[in-house]
Amino acid sequence: MRFEKSFRSDQEVILRFLDALGGGAAILSGSKKARPGFFIFAHTFIREFVEENFFKKEALLIRALVDNGFPPDDGPVGAMLAAQKKSRESGEHMLNAAKGWQAGDEDARVEVGWAASEYTSTMRQHLERLRNLIFPLLEQNISPEDEHRISEGLNTIAFENSMKGDADKYVKIIESLEDELREWR
């Protein structure tokens, strides 16, 4: 399918981010060098790249599956939507706990680590499901017209993002997080 390449590059960016976030969570559990600002900044990537960009792209795939007879609240579509919801919740939990920790609540530090780990685990499973279940289902079930419609939607989203000047912003966020991790070690 033509549109898988767009998702593949996004997935690679997300996996790099998950490596950085997971590294932060691991250091958090064993070192006093970790800082809440890392996790607050990481949430910028979660909100803007994953939730406002990647999940928007996934909505095109979900719509195609529903249009081809898959139930919207069960099976593979239900699993995708549940994972999106769980990732949003754990990302928001991480952000709120990091803000609490930043405000002096040392107990919130443990919550940050838990939520960051929950987020990385959920997103890794979600990306695997996309690659190993959703793409094969789409390949087996959608028409060339559906594939064309998805590709057009992805191009529209990409154009909207380029108009915002976001091309390198998210890689720079990841690089900043990776730099901070190196300072913690």
Side-chain angles (χ1 to χ4, degrees):
M1 287 187 288
R2 297 180 301 194
F3 56 81
E4 276 188 67
K5 184 178 179 184
S6 172
F7 279 92
R8 192 176 314 115
S9 61
D10 284 352
Q11 286 177 310
E12 288 169 2
V13 170
I14 292 170
L15 287 169
R16 184 174 173 191
F17 167 76
L18 294 175
D19 288 344
L21 182 60
I27 291 172
L28 175 65
S29 67
S31 171
K32 293 290 183 188
K33 292 181 181 181
R35 297 286 170 249
F38 173 91
F39 298 95
I40 293 169
F41 187 55
H43 192 268
T44 301
F45 181 91
I46 291 169
R47 185 184 68 252
E48 294 179 12
F49 189 84
V50 176
E51 294 175 2
E52 295 174 5
N53 178 44
F54 190 72
F55 286 171
K56 190 175 183 181
K57 289 179 178 181
E58 282 187 345
L60 299 170
L61 306 181
I62 290 168
R63 171 65 21 219
L65 287 172
V66 170
D67 288 349
N68 281 280
F70 288 85
D73 54 356
D74 197 21
V77 172
M80 291 294 287
L81 294 173
Q84 287 180 352
K85 180 181 182 207
K86 186 175 178 181
S87 71
R88 281 186 183 98
E89 289 170 351
S90 57
E92 197 64 30
H93 186 116
M94 180 188 75
L95 174 65
N96 292 333
K99 286 179 178 179
W101 175 24
Q102 191 173 48
D105 179 2
E106 281 299 314
D107 293 334
R109 179 185 173 102
V110 173
E111 290 294 314
V112 170
W114 176 86
S117 294
E118 183 73 14
Y119 184 84
T120 59
S121 173
T122 299
M123 280 305 297
R124 286 184 192 284
Q125 291 170 2
H126 183 73
L127 294 175
E128 283 296 314
R129 183 178 295 114
L130 182 64
R131 185 173 53 247
N132 295 323
L133 178 63
I134 300 302
F135 287 147
L137 285 174
L138 287 165
E139 194 168 316
Q140 295 167 7
N141 291 286
I142 67 171
S143 68
E145 294 80 24
D146 289 335
E147 185 175 346
H148 181 71
R149 191 171 44 252
I150 291 168
S151 293
E152 284 181 342
L154 293 173
N155 288 337
T156 300
I157 293 168
F159 178 75
E160 290 169 355
N161 290 337
S162 70
M163 293 301 289
K164 293 184 212 171
D166 290 346
D168 295 325
K169 175 182 179 179
Y170 301 108
V171 171
K172 289 178 181 173
I173 288 174
I174 295 168
E175 288 170 350
S176 294
L177 294 170
E178 291 168 340
D179 288 345
E180 190 166 348
L181 283 178
R182 280 189 282 281
E183 292 174 15
W184 292 357
R185 291 186 177 129

